Short mmCIF file of all heavy atoms in Angstrom, two decimals:
data_model
loop_
_atom_site.label_atom_id
_atom_site.label_comp_id
_atom_site.label_asym_id
_atom_site.label_seq_id
_atom_site.Cartn_x
_atom_site.Cartn_y
_atom_site.Cartn_z
N CYS H 6 104.38 137.71 96.34
CA CYS H 6 103.42 136.64 96.43
C CYS H 6 102.75 136.42 95.14
O CYS H 6 102.17 137.32 94.57
CB CYS H 6 102.31 137.09 97.51
SG CYS H 6 100.95 135.87 97.65
N TRP H 7 102.80 135.11 94.78
CA TRP H 7 102.12 134.86 93.39
C TRP H 7 100.56 134.93 93.51
O TRP H 7 100.05 135.26 92.35
CB TRP H 7 102.45 133.36 93.05
CG TRP H 7 104.01 133.26 92.79
CD1 TRP H 7 104.92 132.64 93.53
CD2 TRP H 7 104.62 133.82 91.64
NE1 TRP H 7 106.11 132.88 92.98
CE2 TRP H 7 106.07 133.47 91.86
CE3 TRP H 7 104.22 134.50 90.38
CZ2 TRP H 7 106.99 133.91 90.90
CZ3 TRP H 7 105.14 134.88 89.62
CH2 TRP H 7 106.51 134.67 89.73
N ARG H 8 100.05 134.75 94.62
CA ARG H 8 98.55 134.88 94.67
C ARG H 8 98.15 136.37 94.70
O ARG H 8 97.16 136.73 94.00
CB ARG H 8 98.06 134.15 95.94
CG ARG H 8 97.96 132.70 95.77
CD ARG H 8 96.78 132.20 96.61
NE ARG H 8 97.42 131.12 97.48
CZ ARG H 8 96.85 130.51 98.39
NH1 ARG H 8 95.47 130.88 98.72
NH2 ARG H 8 97.28 129.57 99.11
N CYS H 9 98.75 137.09 95.43
CA CYS H 9 98.38 138.57 95.54
C CYS H 9 99.00 139.41 94.40
O CYS H 9 98.65 140.53 94.11
CB CYS H 9 98.86 139.12 96.89
SG CYS H 9 98.18 138.41 98.29
N ARG H 10 99.96 138.81 93.78
CA ARG H 10 100.68 139.52 92.63
C ARG H 10 101.41 140.83 93.02
O ARG H 10 101.34 141.71 92.31
CB ARG H 10 99.71 139.91 91.54
CG ARG H 10 99.21 138.48 90.75
CD ARG H 10 98.17 138.82 89.84
NE ARG H 10 97.49 137.61 89.49
CZ ARG H 10 97.56 136.92 88.46
NH1 ARG H 10 98.43 137.23 87.60
NH2 ARG H 10 96.83 135.75 88.18
N VAL H 13 104.65 141.31 99.63
CA VAL H 13 103.92 141.36 100.81
C VAL H 13 104.90 140.89 101.95
O VAL H 13 105.92 140.26 101.61
CB VAL H 13 102.73 140.47 100.79
CG1 VAL H 13 101.70 140.81 99.78
CG2 VAL H 13 103.10 138.95 100.55
N MET H 15 106.16 138.50 104.43
CA MET H 15 105.96 137.11 104.82
C MET H 15 106.58 136.66 106.11
O MET H 15 107.53 137.22 106.40
CB MET H 15 106.48 136.20 103.62
CG MET H 15 105.86 136.35 102.36
SD MET H 15 105.69 134.82 101.50
CE MET H 15 104.95 135.43 99.91
N ALA H 66 94.52 135.72 104.24
CA ALA H 66 95.62 136.27 103.42
C ALA H 66 96.95 135.87 104.17
O ALA H 66 97.93 135.66 103.55
CB ALA H 66 95.45 137.67 103.07
N HIS H 69 98.68 132.43 103.99
CA HIS H 69 99.57 131.95 102.74
C HIS H 69 100.77 132.95 102.58
O HIS H 69 101.35 132.91 101.60
CB HIS H 69 98.80 131.71 101.46
CG HIS H 69 98.35 133.06 100.69
ND1 HIS H 69 97.15 133.69 100.97
CD2 HIS H 69 98.95 133.88 99.87
CE1 HIS H 69 97.15 134.87 100.19
NE2 HIS H 69 98.27 134.96 99.57
N HIS H 70 101.04 133.68 103.60
CA HIS H 70 102.19 134.50 103.65
C HIS H 70 103.28 134.01 104.50
O HIS H 70 103.78 134.61 105.46
CB HIS H 70 101.83 135.94 103.93
CG HIS H 70 101.04 136.57 102.86
ND1 HIS H 70 100.25 137.67 103.04
CD2 HIS H 70 100.96 136.27 101.50
CE1 HIS H 70 99.71 137.87 101.82
NE2 HIS H 70 100.09 137.03 100.85
N TYR H 75 107.04 128.65 100.07
CA TYR H 75 107.58 128.89 98.76
C TYR H 75 108.94 128.38 98.76
O TYR H 75 109.55 128.11 99.64
CB TYR H 75 107.34 130.42 98.35
CG TYR H 75 105.93 130.84 98.57
CD1 TYR H 75 105.49 131.35 99.91
CD2 TYR H 75 105.01 130.66 97.62
CE1 TYR H 75 104.10 131.67 100.01
CE2 TYR H 75 103.62 131.07 97.73
CZ TYR H 75 103.29 131.54 98.92
OH TYR H 75 101.90 131.86 99.07
ZN1 ZN X 201 99.41 136.67 99.04
#
Side-chain angles (χ1 to χ4, degrees):
C6 173
W7 292 107
R8 278 205 238 176
C9 300
R10 293 169 200 261
V13 298
M15 293 215 186
H69 76 268
H70 290 159
Y75 304 92

